[in-house]
Amino acid sequence: MVDYLRRIAFLCRKELITLLKEPSSRAMLFAPALMQALLFGYGATFDLRHVPYAVLDPGAGASSTELLARLDGAGIFERQAVLRSSSQIAGLIDANEVLLVISFPADFEQRLAAGQQAPLQLIMDGRNSTTAGAAAGHIAAIVSSFNQQRSGTAQGVQLVTRSWYNPNLESRWQLMPALIAALSMLQTLLIAALSVAREREQGTFDQLLVTPLTPMQILVGKAVPSILVGLVQSTLILLVIRFWFHIPMAGSVGLLYLALLVFTIASVGIGLSISAVAANMQQAMLYTFLLIMPLMLLSGLMTPVANMPKVLQLATYANPLRFGIDLVRRVYLEGAGLHEIGFNFVPMLVVAAITLPLAAWLFRNRLT
């Protein structure tokens, strides 16, 4: 057993030296993960922070002025133009100068004074439907508050909302923990996919096969360095999220790393299977890039899996990233325990149990 483990350790050492011997290689292993985490944190946000708008208010009464003052004071809406006619609306929206236009009728003030309903028209840029919908929701809330103050009566039923796990409903909180799994998978999959393809291209893999090393030893020796690199990258992203963006962690660090370990093993199994099939590094990179996009789209990173068609929902069970993201989010944000997330380990373990032996078999039996 000692000799068995020593052979694996020698192979792991060789793989780590190959990955880390060049300063540029070391930088490429960790710099992209750090850069992508920062870019996603600052750039990929769905929070409504800036809404340029224009106003068409022919009457310019006291009520419309007060309502617009509430919009301007919300800190989100920025008035770009005051229009004189409806013919100016299309040009502003077509040129992306404003997201929406608020159009008051000419008799807006008179209608309100007479106790009648006064319509308020919102003309929105539907090309950015998510932001436009969120802006319309904010305006609806401001108009509702305005109406309540004018009527002077409180509503009979008052709705009080409370958001768990993300009290301010910041999209960064929902997105960033998922990157602990998603970003590390990108490079872990690529590193594992290139490990055997590199040696096959250099002509050293056949020499490795005629050594006393068994296919399982070769598999472990190739997998362990990739797993270590993946966990280090996940740790780097975790530190950025926790201490740079100050997103609080509610769960257990040990459970989080247990989930990341199982997820990384499943990812490495897929990468090694690709590497065993590919004849050279170019093929390995091509297969990896072809696979990464479907894995990302079917992971629930941006859109919930429950919103997908039933056929695609079934397909996601073969995607370890789906369960890795769910595990990280629930542990990090909810503080979920093992009994609450235990099922998520099953599909990842099944993927690992299939892909790792498959890769070991392909090492010796792949058709050339």
Side-chain angles (χ1 to χ4, degrees), residues 57-124:
D57 186 10
S63 298
S64 61
T65 301
E66 180 185 351
L67 182 56
L68 291 173
R70 288 172 177 251
L71 287 176
D72 294 334
I76 297 173
F77 300 93
E78 181 180 346
R79 194 184 310 184
Q80 298 292 324
V82 177
L83 309 182
R84 292 186 297 272
S85 68
S86 59
S87 61
Q88 297 176 281
I89 294 176
L92 286 176
I93 292 182
D94 289 344
N96 287 322
E97 294 184 20
V98 297
L99 180 69
L100 57 90
V101 175
I102 304 175
S103 178
F104 292 87
D107 58 348
F108 183 79
E109 186 72 27
Q110 290 78 8
R111 284 173 180 256
L112 289 180
Q116 302 175 357
Q117 288 188 347
L120 179 65
Q121 185 181 30
L122 288 183
I123 303 170
M124 298 181 291

Short mmCIF file of all heavy atoms in Angstrom, two decimals, residues 57-124:
data_model
loop_
_atom_site.label_atom_id
_atom_site.label_comp_id
_atom_site.label_asym_id
_atom_site.label_seq_id
_atom_site.Cartn_x
_atom_site.Cartn_y
_atom_site.Cartn_z
N ASP A 57 -45.24 66.75 -20.09
CA ASP A 57 -46.23 67.28 -19.15
C ASP A 57 -46.78 68.60 -19.69
O ASP A 57 -46.31 69.69 -19.32
CB ASP A 57 -45.60 67.47 -17.77
CG ASP A 57 -46.61 67.88 -16.71
OD1 ASP A 57 -47.83 67.82 -17.00
OD2 ASP A 57 -46.19 68.25 -15.60
N PRO A 58 -47.79 68.54 -20.56
CA PRO A 58 -48.31 69.78 -21.14
C PRO A 58 -48.91 70.73 -20.10
O PRO A 58 -48.81 71.96 -20.23
CB PRO A 58 -49.38 69.29 -22.12
CG PRO A 58 -49.06 67.85 -22.36
CD PRO A 58 -48.44 67.35 -21.10
N GLY A 59 -49.57 70.16 -19.06
CA GLY A 59 -50.22 71.01 -18.07
C GLY A 59 -49.28 71.61 -17.06
O GLY A 59 -49.46 72.75 -16.60
N ALA A 60 -48.24 70.87 -16.68
CA ALA A 60 -47.25 71.32 -15.69
C ALA A 60 -47.92 71.87 -14.44
O ALA A 60 -47.60 72.95 -13.94
CB ALA A 60 -46.33 72.38 -16.30
N GLY A 61 -48.85 71.06 -13.88
CA GLY A 61 -49.55 71.48 -12.67
C GLY A 61 -48.78 71.12 -11.41
O GLY A 61 -47.71 70.50 -11.45
N ALA A 62 -49.37 71.51 -10.26
CA ALA A 62 -48.71 71.26 -8.98
C ALA A 62 -48.62 69.77 -8.67
O ALA A 62 -47.62 69.29 -8.12
CB ALA A 62 -49.45 72.00 -7.87
N SER A 63 -49.66 69.01 -9.02
CA SER A 63 -49.67 67.58 -8.71
C SER A 63 -48.61 66.82 -9.51
O SER A 63 -47.89 65.98 -8.97
CB SER A 63 -51.06 67.00 -8.98
OG SER A 63 -52.03 67.61 -8.17
N SER A 64 -48.53 67.09 -10.80
CA SER A 64 -47.52 66.42 -11.61
C SER A 64 -46.12 66.82 -11.18
O SER A 64 -45.19 65.99 -11.18
CB SER A 64 -47.72 66.74 -13.10
OG SER A 64 -47.61 68.13 -13.33
N THR A 65 -45.94 68.08 -10.79
CA THR A 65 -44.63 68.53 -10.31
C THR A 65 -44.24 67.81 -9.03
O THR A 65 -43.09 67.39 -8.85
CB THR A 65 -44.65 70.05 -10.07
OG1 THR A 65 -44.99 70.70 -11.29
CG2 THR A 65 -43.30 70.53 -9.59
N GLU A 66 -45.21 67.62 -8.13
CA GLU A 66 -44.94 66.90 -6.88
C GLU A 66 -44.59 65.44 -7.15
O GLU A 66 -43.67 64.89 -6.54
CB GLU A 66 -46.15 66.99 -5.96
CG GLU A 66 -45.95 66.28 -4.62
CD GLU A 66 -47.20 66.27 -3.76
OE1 GLU A 66 -48.18 66.97 -4.12
OE2 GLU A 66 -47.21 65.55 -2.75
N LEU A 67 -45.34 64.82 -8.05
CA LEU A 67 -45.07 63.41 -8.37
C LEU A 67 -43.69 63.25 -8.99
O LEU A 67 -42.94 62.32 -8.65
CB LEU A 67 -46.15 62.88 -9.32
CG LEU A 67 -46.06 61.41 -9.73
CD1 LEU A 67 -46.02 60.50 -8.51
CD2 LEU A 67 -47.21 61.03 -10.64
N LEU A 68 -43.32 64.15 -9.89
CA LEU A 68 -42.00 64.07 -10.49
C LEU A 68 -40.90 64.34 -9.48
O LEU A 68 -39.80 63.76 -9.57
CB LEU A 68 -41.90 65.08 -11.65
CG LEU A 68 -42.75 64.75 -12.88
CD1 LEU A 68 -42.69 65.90 -13.89
CD2 LEU A 68 -42.29 63.45 -13.54
N ALA A 69 -41.16 65.19 -8.51
CA ALA A 69 -40.18 65.45 -7.45
C ALA A 69 -39.93 64.19 -6.64
O ALA A 69 -38.80 63.92 -6.20
CB ALA A 69 -40.65 66.59 -6.56
N ARG A 70 -40.98 63.40 -6.43
CA ARG A 70 -40.80 62.12 -5.71
C ARG A 70 -39.93 61.16 -6.52
O ARG A 70 -39.08 60.45 -5.96
CB ARG A 70 -42.17 61.47 -5.45
CG ARG A 70 -43.00 62.17 -4.37
CD ARG A 70 -44.40 61.58 -4.33
NE ARG A 70 -45.18 62.19 -3.28
CZ ARG A 70 -45.54 61.56 -2.15
NH1 ARG A 70 -45.16 60.31 -1.94
NH2 ARG A 70 -46.27 62.17 -1.23
N LEU A 71 -40.14 61.15 -7.83
CA LEU A 71 -39.32 60.28 -8.68
C LEU A 71 -37.85 60.72 -8.63
O LEU A 71 -36.94 59.89 -8.46
CB LEU A 71 -39.81 60.33 -10.12
CG LEU A 71 -41.13 59.61 -10.44
CD1 LEU A 71 -41.49 59.84 -11.90
CD2 LEU A 71 -41.01 58.12 -10.17
N ASP A 72 -37.62 62.02 -8.78
CA ASP A 72 -36.25 62.52 -8.79
C ASP A 72 -35.57 62.32 -7.45
O ASP A 72 -34.34 62.15 -7.38
CB ASP A 72 -36.23 64.01 -9.16
CG ASP A 72 -36.71 64.24 -10.60
OD1 ASP A 72 -36.58 63.31 -11.41
OD2 ASP A 72 -37.21 65.35 -10.88
N GLY A 73 -36.35 62.33 -6.37
CA GLY A 73 -35.77 62.15 -5.05
C GLY A 73 -35.53 60.71 -4.66
O GLY A 73 -34.96 60.44 -3.59
N ALA A 74 -35.95 59.76 -5.51
CA ALA A 74 -35.76 58.34 -5.17
C ALA A 74 -34.32 57.90 -5.31
O ALA A 74 -33.94 56.84 -4.80
CB ALA A 74 -36.66 57.48 -6.07
N GLY A 75 -33.50 58.69 -6.01
CA GLY A 75 -32.10 58.33 -6.18
C GLY A 75 -31.84 57.35 -7.30
O GLY A 75 -30.69 56.94 -7.52
N ILE A 76 -32.87 56.95 -8.02
CA ILE A 76 -32.74 55.98 -9.11
C ILE A 76 -33.00 56.65 -10.46
O ILE A 76 -32.31 56.40 -11.44
CB ILE A 76 -33.72 54.80 -8.91
CG1 ILE A 76 -33.37 54.04 -7.63
CG2 ILE A 76 -33.71 53.86 -10.11
CD1 ILE A 76 -34.37 52.97 -7.27
N PHE A 77 -34.01 57.51 -10.50
CA PHE A 77 -34.46 58.12 -11.75
C PHE A 77 -33.71 59.43 -12.00
O PHE A 77 -33.54 60.24 -11.09
CB PHE A 77 -35.97 58.38 -11.70
CG PHE A 77 -36.77 57.12 -11.51
CD1 PHE A 77 -37.14 56.70 -10.24
CD2 PHE A 77 -37.14 56.36 -12.60
CE1 PHE A 77 -37.87 55.54 -10.06
CE2 PHE A 77 -37.87 55.20 -12.43
CZ PHE A 77 -38.24 54.78 -11.16
N GLU A 78 -33.27 59.59 -13.22
CA GLU A 78 -32.55 60.79 -13.62
C GLU A 78 -33.23 61.40 -14.85
O GLU A 78 -33.28 60.78 -15.92
CB GLU A 78 -31.10 60.47 -13.95
CG GLU A 78 -30.29 61.68 -14.36
CD GLU A 78 -28.85 61.33 -14.68
OE1 GLU A 78 -28.42 60.20 -14.33
OE2 GLU A 78 -28.17 62.16 -15.28
N ARG A 79 -33.77 62.60 -14.67
CA ARG A 79 -34.50 63.23 -15.76
C ARG A 79 -33.51 63.77 -16.80
O ARG A 79 -32.65 64.59 -16.50
CB ARG A 79 -35.37 64.37 -15.22
CG ARG A 79 -36.40 64.87 -16.21
CD ARG A 79 -37.17 66.07 -15.68
NE ARG A 79 -37.69 65.84 -14.35
CZ ARG A 79 -38.46 66.71 -13.69
NH1 ARG A 79 -38.75 67.89 -14.27
NH2 ARG A 79 -38.88 66.45 -12.47
N GLN A 80 -33.69 63.31 -18.04
CA GLN A 80 -32.80 63.71 -19.12
C GLN A 80 -33.37 64.82 -19.99
O GLN A 80 -32.62 65.60 -20.58
CB GLN A 80 -32.48 62.50 -20.01
CG GLN A 80 -31.75 61.38 -19.29
CD GLN A 80 -30.34 61.77 -18.91
OE1 GLN A 80 -29.67 62.48 -19.65
NE2 GLN A 80 -29.90 61.33 -17.75
N ALA A 81 -34.71 64.87 -20.09
CA ALA A 81 -35.32 65.85 -21.00
C ALA A 81 -36.76 66.11 -20.59
O ALA A 81 -37.43 65.24 -20.03
CB ALA A 81 -35.26 65.36 -22.44
N VAL A 82 -37.21 67.31 -20.86
CA VAL A 82 -38.62 67.68 -20.74
C VAL A 82 -39.13 67.94 -22.15
O VAL A 82 -38.65 68.85 -22.84
CB VAL A 82 -38.80 68.93 -19.85
CG1 VAL A 82 -40.27 69.33 -19.80
CG2 VAL A 82 -38.26 68.66 -18.45
N LEU A 83 -40.08 67.13 -22.60
CA LEU A 83 -40.52 67.16 -23.98
C LEU A 83 -41.66 68.16 -24.17
O LEU A 83 -42.43 68.45 -23.24
CB LEU A 83 -40.97 65.76 -24.42
CG LEU A 83 -39.98 64.62 -24.16
CD1 LEU A 83 -40.53 63.31 -24.68
CD2 LEU A 83 -38.63 64.92 -24.79
N ARG A 84 -41.79 68.62 -25.40
CA ARG A 84 -42.86 69.56 -25.73
C ARG A 84 -43.98 68.90 -26.52
O ARG A 84 -45.10 69.40 -26.54
CB ARG A 84 -42.29 70.74 -26.52
CG ARG A 84 -41.36 71.64 -25.71
CD ARG A 84 -40.93 72.87 -26.51
NE ARG A 84 -40.17 72.49 -27.69
CZ ARG A 84 -38.84 72.31 -27.68
NH1 ARG A 84 -38.16 72.45 -26.55
NH2 ARG A 84 -38.21 71.99 -28.79
N SER A 85 -43.66 67.78 -27.19
CA SER A 85 -44.70 67.09 -27.96
C SER A 85 -44.40 65.60 -27.98
O SER A 85 -43.26 65.16 -27.75
CB SER A 85 -44.76 67.64 -29.39
OG SER A 85 -43.59 67.29 -30.11
N SER A 86 -45.44 64.82 -28.28
CA SER A 86 -45.29 63.36 -28.30
C SER A 86 -44.42 62.89 -29.45
O SER A 86 -43.91 61.76 -29.43
CB SER A 86 -46.66 62.71 -28.40
OG SER A 86 -47.34 63.14 -29.57
N SER A 87 -44.20 63.71 -30.45
CA SER A 87 -43.36 63.30 -31.58
C SER A 87 -41.89 63.16 -31.20
O SER A 87 -41.11 62.55 -31.94
CB SER A 87 -43.50 64.32 -32.72
OG SER A 87 -43.06 65.61 -32.30
N GLN A 88 -41.50 63.71 -30.06
CA GLN A 88 -40.10 63.62 -29.62
C GLN A 88 -39.80 62.31 -28.89
O GLN A 88 -38.64 62.00 -28.65
CB GLN A 88 -39.77 64.80 -28.69
CG GLN A 88 -39.88 66.17 -29.34
CD GLN A 88 -39.64 67.28 -28.34
OE1 GLN A 88 -40.50 67.63 -27.55
NE2 GLN A 88 -38.43 67.83 -28.36
N ILE A 89 -40.83 61.56 -28.54
CA ILE A 89 -40.64 60.37 -27.70
C ILE A 89 -39.84 59.30 -28.44
O ILE A 89 -38.86 58.75 -27.92
CB ILE A 89 -42.00 59.82 -27.25
CG1 ILE A 89 -42.68 60.82 -26.32
CG2 ILE A 89 -41.83 58.46 -26.56
CD1 ILE A 89 -44.08 60.40 -25.91
N ALA A 90 -40.25 59.00 -29.67
CA ALA A 90 -39.62 57.89 -30.41
C ALA A 90 -38.13 58.12 -30.61
O ALA A 90 -37.32 57.18 -30.48
CB ALA A 90 -40.31 57.71 -31.75
N GLY A 91 -37.74 59.34 -30.89
CA GLY A 91 -36.33 59.61 -31.13
C GLY A 91 -35.46 59.37 -29.93
O GLY A 91 -34.36 58.80 -30.04
N LEU A 92 -35.95 59.75 -28.74
CA LEU A 92 -35.16 59.55 -27.52
C LEU A 92 -35.00 58.07 -27.21
O LEU A 92 -33.91 57.61 -26.84
CB LEU A 92 -35.83 60.26 -26.35
CG LEU A 92 -35.72 61.79 -26.32
CD1 LEU A 92 -36.53 62.35 -25.16
CD2 LEU A 92 -34.27 62.22 -26.20
N ILE A 93 -36.08 57.30 -27.33
CA ILE A 93 -36.00 55.87 -27.01
C ILE A 93 -35.20 55.12 -28.06
O ILE A 93 -34.38 54.25 -27.73
CB ILE A 93 -37.42 55.28 -26.87
CG1 ILE A 93 -38.11 55.87 -25.63
CG2 ILE A 93 -37.37 53.76 -26.77
CD1 ILE A 93 -39.49 55.34 -25.36
N ASP A 94 -35.38 55.47 -29.32
CA ASP A 94 -34.61 54.79 -30.38
C ASP A 94 -33.11 55.02 -30.23
O ASP A 94 -32.30 54.14 -30.55
CB ASP A 94 -35.07 55.28 -31.76
CG ASP A 94 -36.46 54.79 -32.11
OD1 ASP A 94 -36.93 53.85 -31.44
OD2 ASP A 94 -37.08 55.35 -33.04
N ALA A 95 -32.74 56.19 -29.74
CA ALA A 95 -31.32 56.52 -29.58
C ALA A 95 -30.75 56.05 -28.25
O ALA A 95 -29.60 56.34 -27.93
CB ALA A 95 -31.13 58.04 -29.71
N ASN A 96 -31.56 55.32 -27.46
CA ASN A 96 -31.13 54.82 -26.15
C ASN A 96 -30.74 55.95 -25.19
O ASN A 96 -29.93 55.73 -24.28
CB ASN A 96 -29.95 53.85 -26.29
CG ASN A 96 -30.36 52.50 -26.86
OD1 ASN A 96 -31.43 52.00 -26.54
ND2 ASN A 96 -29.53 51.96 -27.72
N GLU A 97 -31.31 57.11 -25.37
CA GLU A 97 -31.02 58.21 -24.45
C GLU A 97 -31.83 58.11 -23.17
O GLU A 97 -31.39 58.61 -22.13
CB GLU A 97 -31.28 59.55 -25.15
CG GLU A 97 -30.35 59.83 -26.32
CD GLU A 97 -30.59 61.20 -26.93
OE1 GLU A 97 -31.18 62.05 -26.23
OE2 GLU A 97 -30.18 61.41 -28.09
N VAL A 98 -33.00 57.50 -23.24
CA VAL A 98 -33.83 57.30 -22.05
C VAL A 98 -34.37 55.88 -22.07
O VAL A 98 -34.53 55.26 -23.13
CB VAL A 98 -35.00 58.32 -22.00
CG1 VAL A 98 -34.48 59.75 -21.90
CG2 VAL A 98 -35.92 58.16 -23.18
N LEU A 99 -34.67 55.37 -20.88
CA LEU A 99 -35.28 54.06 -20.76
C LEU A 99 -36.79 54.15 -20.83
O LEU A 99 -37.45 53.23 -21.32
CB LEU A 99 -34.86 53.39 -19.45
CG LEU A 99 -35.42 52.01 -19.18
CD1 LEU A 99 -34.82 50.99 -20.15
CD2 LEU A 99 -35.15 51.57 -17.74
N LEU A 100 -37.34 55.25 -20.36
CA LEU A 100 -38.79 55.40 -20.37
C LEU A 100 -39.16 56.87 -20.46
O LEU A 100 -38.35 57.76 -20.16
CB LEU A 100 -39.42 54.77 -19.14
CG LEU A 100 -38.97 55.23 -17.75
CD1 LEU A 100 -39.81 56.40 -17.26
CD2 LEU A 100 -39.05 54.08 -16.76
N VAL A 101 -40.39 57.11 -20.88
CA VAL A 101 -40.96 58.44 -20.95
C VAL A 101 -42.26 58.44 -20.15
O VAL A 101 -43.10 57.55 -20.32
CB VAL A 101 -41.23 58.87 -22.40
CG1 VAL A 101 -41.93 60.23 -22.44
CG2 VAL A 101 -39.93 58.93 -23.19
N ILE A 102 -42.42 59.42 -19.28
CA ILE A 102 -43.64 59.59 -18.49
C ILE A 102 -44.48 60.68 -19.16
O ILE A 102 -44.03 61.82 -19.29
CB ILE A 102 -43.34 59.97 -17.04
CG1 ILE A 102 -42.42 58.91 -16.40
CG2 ILE A 102 -44.61 60.13 -16.23
CD1 ILE A 102 -41.98 59.26 -15.00
N SER A 103 -45.67 60.31 -19.58
CA SER A 103 -46.53 61.24 -20.32
C SER A 103 -47.77 61.56 -19.48
O SER A 103 -48.56 60.66 -19.16
CB SER A 103 -46.93 60.64 -21.66
OG SER A 103 -47.80 61.50 -22.35
N PHE A 104 -47.94 62.82 -19.12
CA PHE A 104 -49.11 63.29 -18.39
C PHE A 104 -50.13 63.85 -19.40
O PHE A 104 -49.75 64.52 -20.37
CB PHE A 104 -48.74 64.43 -17.42
CG PHE A 104 -47.88 63.99 -16.27
CD1 PHE A 104 -46.50 63.96 -16.38
CD2 PHE A 104 -48.46 63.61 -15.06
CE1 PHE A 104 -45.71 63.56 -15.32
CE2 PHE A 104 -47.67 63.22 -13.99
CZ PHE A 104 -46.29 63.19 -14.11
N PRO A 105 -51.41 63.61 -19.17
CA PRO A 105 -52.42 64.27 -20.02
C PRO A 105 -52.48 65.76 -19.70
O PRO A 105 -52.10 66.20 -18.62
CB PRO A 105 -53.71 63.55 -19.63
CG PRO A 105 -53.47 63.04 -18.25
CD PRO A 105 -52.01 62.72 -18.17
N ALA A 106 -52.99 66.52 -20.65
CA ALA A 106 -53.04 67.98 -20.47
C ALA A 106 -53.95 68.38 -19.32
O ALA A 106 -53.73 69.40 -18.66
CB ALA A 106 -53.50 68.64 -21.77
N ASP A 107 -55.00 67.57 -19.05
CA ASP A 107 -55.94 67.89 -17.98
C ASP A 107 -55.68 67.09 -16.71
O ASP A 107 -56.60 66.80 -15.95
CB ASP A 107 -57.37 67.65 -18.47
CG ASP A 107 -57.60 66.21 -18.92
OD1 ASP A 107 -56.60 65.47 -19.07
OD2 ASP A 107 -58.77 65.83 -19.14
N PHE A 108 -54.43 66.70 -16.49
CA PHE A 108 -54.08 65.87 -15.33
C PHE A 108 -54.49 66.57 -14.03
O PHE A 108 -55.12 65.96 -13.15
CB PHE A 108 -52.57 65.60 -15.35
CG PHE A 108 -52.09 64.70 -14.25
CD1 PHE A 108 -52.25 63.33 -14.33
CD2 PHE A 108 -51.44 65.22 -13.13
CE1 PHE A 108 -51.79 62.49 -13.31
CE2 PHE A 108 -50.99 64.40 -12.11
CZ PHE A 108 -51.16 63.03 -12.20
N GLU A 109 -54.13 67.83 -13.87
CA GLU A 109 -54.44 68.57 -12.64
C GLU A 109 -55.94 68.72 -12.46
O GLU A 109 -56.46 68.55 -11.34
CB GLU A 109 -53.76 69.94 -12.68
CG GLU A 109 -53.88 70.76 -11.40
CD GLU A 109 -53.02 70.19 -10.28
OE1 GLU A 109 -52.00 69.54 -10.58
OE2 GLU A 109 -53.38 70.38 -9.11
N GLN A 110 -56.68 69.03 -13.52
CA GLN A 110 -58.12 69.22 -13.42
C GLN A 110 -58.84 67.93 -13.03
O GLN A 110 -59.79 67.95 -12.25
CB GLN A 110 -58.66 69.74 -14.76
CG GLN A 110 -58.27 71.17 -15.10
CD GLN A 110 -56.85 71.27 -15.63
OE1 GLN A 110 -56.20 70.25 -15.88
NE2 GLN A 110 -56.36 72.51 -15.80
N ARG A 111 -58.39 66.81 -13.59
CA ARG A 111 -59.01 65.53 -13.24
C ARG A 111 -58.85 65.22 -11.75
O ARG A 111 -59.79 64.77 -11.08
CB ARG A 111 -58.39 64.40 -14.07
CG ARG A 111 -58.85 64.35 -15.53
CD ARG A 111 -58.05 63.31 -16.28
NE ARG A 111 -58.44 63.20 -17.66
CZ ARG A 111 -59.18 62.20 -18.16
NH1 ARG A 111 -59.63 61.25 -17.36
NH2 ARG A 111 -59.49 62.16 -19.44
N LEU A 112 -57.63 65.41 -11.25
CA LEU A 112 -57.40 65.13 -9.83
C LEU A 112 -58.22 66.08 -8.95
O LEU A 112 -58.76 65.66 -7.92
CB LEU A 112 -55.91 65.28 -9.51
CG LEU A 112 -54.98 64.20 -10.08
CD1 LEU A 112 -53.54 64.48 -9.67
CD2 LEU A 112 -55.40 62.81 -9.60
N ALA A 113 -58.28 67.33 -9.33
CA ALA A 113 -59.06 68.29 -8.54
C ALA A 113 -60.53 67.93 -8.52
O ALA A 113 -61.23 68.20 -7.52
CB ALA A 113 -58.86 69.70 -9.10
N ALA A 114 -61.03 67.33 -9.60
CA ALA A 114 -62.43 66.94 -9.66
C ALA A 114 -62.69 65.57 -9.04
O ALA A 114 -63.83 65.10 -9.05
CB ALA A 114 -62.90 66.95 -11.11
N GLY A 115 -61.66 64.93 -8.51
CA GLY A 115 -61.82 63.62 -7.89
C GLY A 115 -61.93 62.48 -8.90
O GLY A 115 -62.37 61.39 -8.55
N GLN A 116 -61.53 62.72 -10.11
CA GLN A 116 -61.57 61.69 -11.15
C GLN A 116 -60.22 60.98 -11.28
O GLN A 116 -59.20 61.47 -10.80
CB GLN A 116 -61.96 62.33 -12.50
CG GLN A 116 -63.28 63.04 -12.51
CD GLN A 116 -63.53 63.74 -13.83
OE1 GLN A 116 -62.69 63.72 -14.72
NE2 GLN A 116 -64.70 64.36 -13.94
N GLN A 117 -60.25 59.85 -11.97
CA GLN A 117 -59.00 59.15 -12.26
C GLN A 117 -58.23 59.91 -13.33
O GLN A 117 -58.81 60.36 -14.32
CB GLN A 117 -59.27 57.72 -12.73
CG GLN A 117 -59.76 56.79 -11.64
CD GLN A 117 -59.84 55.35 -12.12
OE1 GLN A 117 -59.77 55.08 -13.32
NE2 GLN A 117 -59.99 54.43 -11.20
N ALA A 118 -56.93 60.02 -13.11
CA ALA A 118 -56.07 60.71 -14.07
C ALA A 118 -55.05 59.71 -14.60
O ALA A 118 -54.19 59.25 -13.85
CB ALA A 118 -55.37 61.89 -13.41
N PRO A 119 -55.16 59.32 -15.88
CA PRO A 119 -54.22 58.33 -16.41
C PRO A 119 -52.82 58.89 -16.55
O PRO A 119 -52.62 60.06 -16.87
CB PRO A 119 -54.81 57.99 -17.78
CG PRO A 119 -55.58 59.22 -18.18
CD PRO A 119 -56.12 59.78 -16.89
N LEU A 120 -51.85 58.04 -16.26
CA LEU A 120 -50.43 58.39 -16.41
C LEU A 120 -49.80 57.34 -17.31
O LEU A 120 -49.79 56.15 -16.97
CB LEU A 120 -49.75 58.42 -15.04
CG LEU A 120 -48.25 58.76 -15.01
CD1 LEU A 120 -48.03 60.18 -15.50
CD2 LEU A 120 -47.69 58.59 -13.61
N GLN A 121 -49.28 57.75 -18.43
CA GLN A 121 -48.75 56.81 -19.42
C GLN A 121 -47.24 56.65 -19.27
O GLN A 121 -46.50 57.63 -19.17
CB GLN A 121 -49.07 57.29 -20.84
CG GLN A 121 -48.66 56.29 -21.91
CD GLN A 121 -48.97 56.78 -23.31
OE1 GLN A 121 -48.96 57.98 -23.56
NE2 GLN A 121 -49.24 55.85 -24.22
N LEU A 122 -46.81 55.39 -19.24
CA LEU A 122 -45.38 55.05 -19.25
C LEU A 122 -45.05 54.42 -20.59
O LEU A 122 -45.63 53.41 -20.98
CB LEU A 122 -45.04 54.06 -18.13
CG LEU A 122 -45.04 54.56 -16.69
CD1 LEU A 122 -44.60 53.43 -15.76
CD2 LEU A 122 -44.12 55.74 -16.54
N ILE A 123 -44.12 55.00 -21.29
CA ILE A 123 -43.65 54.45 -22.56
C ILE A 123 -42.22 53.97 -22.32
O ILE A 123 -41.32 54.77 -22.06
CB ILE A 123 -43.69 55.51 -23.67
CG1 ILE A 123 -45.11 56.07 -23.80
CG2 ILE A 123 -43.21 54.93 -24.99
CD1 ILE A 123 -45.20 57.28 -24.69
N MET A 124 -42.02 52.64 -22.38
CA MET A 124 -40.75 52.04 -21.95
C MET A 124 -40.04 51.37 -23.12
O MET A 124 -40.66 50.93 -24.09
CB MET A 124 -40.99 51.03 -20.83
CG MET A 124 -41.59 51.65 -19.58
SD MET A 124 -41.84 50.44 -18.27
CE MET A 124 -43.15 49.46 -18.97
#
